[in-house]
Every structure is written in C-alpha cells, then in structure tokens.
Amino acid sequence: MNLKLKFAFVCYMSNAIGLALMGCIYVFGNEFLPFHSDVIQTSWEDVNASAQILYIGMMRTEGAGLLSSSLAIAILLFIPFMQGQTWSYWAMTAIGIVEHLPSLIATYHVSTITEASPPWPALLLGVVLLIVGLLLSISGNKT
C-alpha cells in the first residue's frame, strides 16, 4: 500500500471511529447532550417523562444509524479497500456523507439560530476527511 492509500485509510478509519464513538454516546446515553439542553433551554431533569422517552428513543435511533455507518465503513475498509477494489472508495465516501450531511446541515442551522454549540465542525471534518480519502484513494490507486 503506497503513502496516499495509507493516508486515505486513516481518513476513512477516522470516520469509522468517530461515527462509532458518537453512536455509542447516543445509544447508551441516559439523557440528552448539553447542546440539546441549550437548544430547548431546559435541563434534562425539567423535561417531562414522556418527552424524555421520546428524546431517548430518537437518540438511540440516531445512534443506531451512526453505528451502522461505522460498521459498514470498517468492513469496506478492511476487506475490499485492502484488496484494492476501487468501488469501495466510492461506497465508503457515499455511506459517510449520507450519514454526516443531514446532521451537518441541521446542527449548523441550530448553531445559527440558537446559543447552542452543536458539533457541526466535527461533522464537517468528517465530510472533508471522506472527500480527502476518496481523492487520495483514487490518485493512490493509479501510482
């Protein structure tokens, strides 16, 4: 594996790890995150029980999507990518962008209309790393 493909591997693996970490936080968390509290200007303790159930359900659903995307990227990275199958570059990038982009748009919007600080920069970094990984993979595969 040449240097470009090694850097591409790091870009894709960073996404898989980041998605897995956020997925675990969302799946195993027992309350919403601080920026969620900032958006609705209410502490977790002040949210009624029915709304807490709804929030946790939505977080676990988002977490499941994050974990699924992480697993898909990891499998593609360790099997077809390592075998030099070029279709995997496009597949990993597409999976990651489909996972990141809606959340990026939503969290950026929230940051512009509230005092909350959602993690849109981390999502943007994920998208940038995916695109860099794709470009490095394509150019690294030709050398």
Side-chain angles (χ1 to χ4, degrees):
M1 184 183 311
N2 65 38
L3 190 59
K4 285 184 179 181
L5 288 174
K6 287 179 183 178
F7 280 128
F9 183 94
V10 170
C11 290
Y12 289 123
M13 182 53 79
S14 297
N15 260 272
I17 291 169
L19 290 166
L21 290 174
M22 283 308 301
C24 286
I25 289 169
Y26 275 63
V27 167
F28 299 112
N30 292 321
E31 62 183 66
F32 55 46
L33 300 175
F35 76 87
H36 295 134
S37 180
D38 293 342
V39 171
I40 65 169
Q41 299 178 350
T42 304
S43 69
W44 179 252
E45 295 77 24
D46 293 333
V47 174
N48 72 51
S50 297
Q52 285 183 355
I53 292 167
L54 178 63
Y55 276 116
I56 293 296
M58 289 188 306
M59 287 176 59
R60 291 196 174 137
T61 301
E62 174 66 12
L66 292 163
L67 290 171
S68 297
S69 295
S70 172
L71 180 61
I73 291 170
I75 290 169
L76 290 168
L77 189 58
F78 283 103
I79 301 173
F81 179 89
M82 295 299 282
Q83 295 172 352
Q85 297 181 28
T86 57
W87 65 268
S88 67
Y89 313 157
W90 296 95
M92 290 184 291
T93 304
I95 290 165
I97 288 176
V98 165
E99 183 61 51
H100 285 307
L101 197 56
S103 296
L104 171 59
I105 292 166
T107 55
Y108 179 75
H109 177 70
V110 165
S111 75
T112 63
I113 62 172
T114 71
E115 296 297 317
S117 297
W120 70 264
L123 295 165
L124 179 59
L125 176 62
V127 170
V128 168
L129 286 172
L130 288 164
I131 293 168
V132 169
L134 176 64
L135 296 174
L136 288 169
S137 297
I138 291 168
S139 64
N141 195 38
K142 292 180 181 175
T143 56

